[in-house]
Amino acid sequence: MLYLSTRGDPARKRFCDILLEGLAPDGGLYLPEHYPNITASLPQLRTIYQQQGYAELAFAILSLYIDDIPASDLRALTHNTYTKAVFGTDAITPVRELEKGLWLEGLSNGPTLAFKDMAMQLLGNLFEYELTRRGAELNILGATSGDTGSAAEYAMCGKQGVRVFMLSPHGRMSPFQQAQMFSLQDANIYNIAIEGVFDDCQDIVKAVSNDLTFKQQYKIGTVNSINWARLLAQVVYYFAGYFQATTTDSEQVSFTVPSGNFGNICAGHVARQMGLPIKQLVVATNENDVLDEFFKTGVYRPRSSANTLETSSPSMDISKASNFERFVFDLLGRDSAELKTLFATTLAEQGYFDLSADPRFIAQEERFGFVSGKSTHPDRLATIRAVWEQHQQEIDTHTADGVKVAREIHKPDAEPMLVLETALPIKFSATIVEALGREPQRPAQFDGIEALPKRVQVLPADVQQVKTLIEKATQVA
Ligand SMILES: *Cc1c(COP(=O)(O)O)cnc(C)c1O
């Protein structure tokens, strides 16, 4: 399998090259040249999941996309990653029925209690494998509004050949998230709190990555959701969810996905393109509703960071959905010239693009299955309360956005609707207290985490100062 850039660079690359690279040199995102079709092997994949488990299913799906790691090594990587010891259950992503036809798929039982562990734990092992094989080093530069950062750091701490420079918006993460990240004392982990919002952090990462000389000299890589390997890891749990919620391969399901950067649901799009019987992919946003606006109107209008609201589902407080370009590429029939004009010219010149009159947009629901909805702070509170009162289950604020939108869209007699549970409530306890009048349950291993010593440096939203920090850190070692 070879990979191309959405923006038309003629180069074709193999998996392990784009693994370490992140953004393509032309500013585009990597995608496989085609999506392998699994329709004929769906029964086999179901048997693999049921009899050999999640790790073997992951191996089967990943090997369709990775041909530059020997099969025995790739199998060892997935089996070392997706264990009961790390993810809490044999199912790895267990589903439970909340009410008739509405299911939750638990993706947040990994070390940092958010779905990003699903991809990041694999990425940590892939990086260590490939860097060791090459005798190389990598400096990971990332931006986080909370969950990415801790998931990356818990996946990379102690790994050979890797340093992590993680930018987060100063003072905007929950106390629990800050404690999780900043309490890590490993020498290869650098926490950098930026005086700005998440998009400022993301802009700095993009600016540094676009400086090709610096990127090469300091071996800069990324773990943000634009990394194809992360997306690929996430494809697997759409299959695992499907196999748990259905009994035959002729059934359809739909997924509702609490969305920010469009990474999680983009993996659902890939699964659907491969032939997994997904009817609808429901994008659930919070008040930062650029994606809901697009799927309702055809207008994509990213916000400025000043217009990005700080909400109680902060991991979705995103104004530009960095993976969205991948879907638009497929929507346009993979016309990279057209794609490039939209993202590099139209957006830059007028601040939005409008596909409302484009027949490909008008036909998208039928072809790609996307619908959308929006949830607000009062919706989250009401949903968290209702789910507790009706089902005695605690859900986190992001999952609540998903459940709220899923309940609006799902009809009781329709195909099963799986809502992806993207975090556990303890990460966002202030809102749980507001909704339920008490603290959420806290897994024992996190007792007292807020009181641990913190390791973090505060910087203004300035590209040069971040570069200087990286230069110094890599010289010392
Ligand atoms: C990252 C995250 C999201 C958004 O996922 P995207 O892939 O950015 O769309 C939703 N919920 C939680 C808890 C997250 O950490």
Side-chain angles (χ1 to χ4, degrees), residues 108 113-116 145-148 177 225 230 234 237 257-266 291 313-316 318 321-323 396-399 420-424 427-428:
S108 37
L113 311 183
F115 90 95
K116 296 197 170 64
S145 50
D147 297 329
T148 308
Q177 286 179 312
S225 60
R230 270 184 68 182
Q234 293 170 179
Y237 54 68
V257 185
S259 291
N261 261 321
F262 206 75
N264 198 352
I265 201 161
C266 194
L291 290 171
S313 45
S315 298
M316 295 155 61
I318 278 152
S322 54
N323 270 289
D396 102 289
T397 53
H398 307 75
T399 309
L420 300 186
E421 179 184 55
T422 54
L424 292 194
K427 296 196 91 165
F428 306 97

Side-chain angles (χ1 to χ4, degrees), residues 73-96:
D73 290 354
L74 186 60
R75 177 176 269 129
L77 283 166
T78 64
H79 282 263
N80 289 335
T81 302
Y82 297 111
T83 64
K84 186 177 177 181
V86 175
F87 289 97
T89 62
D90 284 319
I92 305 295
T93 61
V95 304
R96 55 192 201 269

Side-chain angles (χ1 to χ4, degrees), residues 91-216:
I92 305 295
T93 61
V95 304
R96 55 192 201 269
E97 195 167 18
L98 198 59
E99 56 208 35
K100 191 172 181 311
L102 191 72
W103 304 66
L104 286 179
E105 181 171 5
L107 306 182
S108 37
N109 303 310
T112 73
L113 311 183
F115 90 95
K116 296 197 170 64
D117 289 327
M118 292 302 305
M120 213 65 86
Q121 286 289 315
L122 179 72
L123 202 66
N125 288 330
L126 280 169
F127 275 5
E128 191 173 51
Y129 173 84
E130 186 58 18
L131 291 169
T132 306
R133 191 160 76 161
R134 295 182 181 202
E137 275 193 0
L138 187 69
N139 292 306
I140 291 166
L141 177 63
T144 185
S145 50
D147 297 329
T148 308
S150 49
E153 293 183 358
Y154 280 75
M156 306 295 166
C157 62
K159 289 273 190 290
Q160 288 302 310
V162 188
R163 287 186 200 86
V164 179
F165 298 89
M166 189 53 66
L167 313 184
S168 60
H170 183 42
R172 290 204 175 212
M173 294 191 297
S174 76
F176 185 87
Q177 286 179 312
Q178 294 185 39
Q180 262 189 326
M181 277 180 60
F182 301 164
S183 64
L184 280 179
Q185 299 297 324
D186 301 68
N188 71 330
I189 304 294
Y190 295 83
N191 285 308
I192 305 165
I194 295 289
E195 293 169 332
V197 294
F198 171 72
D199 288 304
D200 298 315
C201 301
Q202 202 165 22
D203 285 346
I204 294 173
V205 171
K206 282 195 180 154
V208 174
S209 300
N210 287 339
D211 180 343
L212 296 185
T213 316
F214 187 90
K215 187 180 170 185
Q216 254 171 357

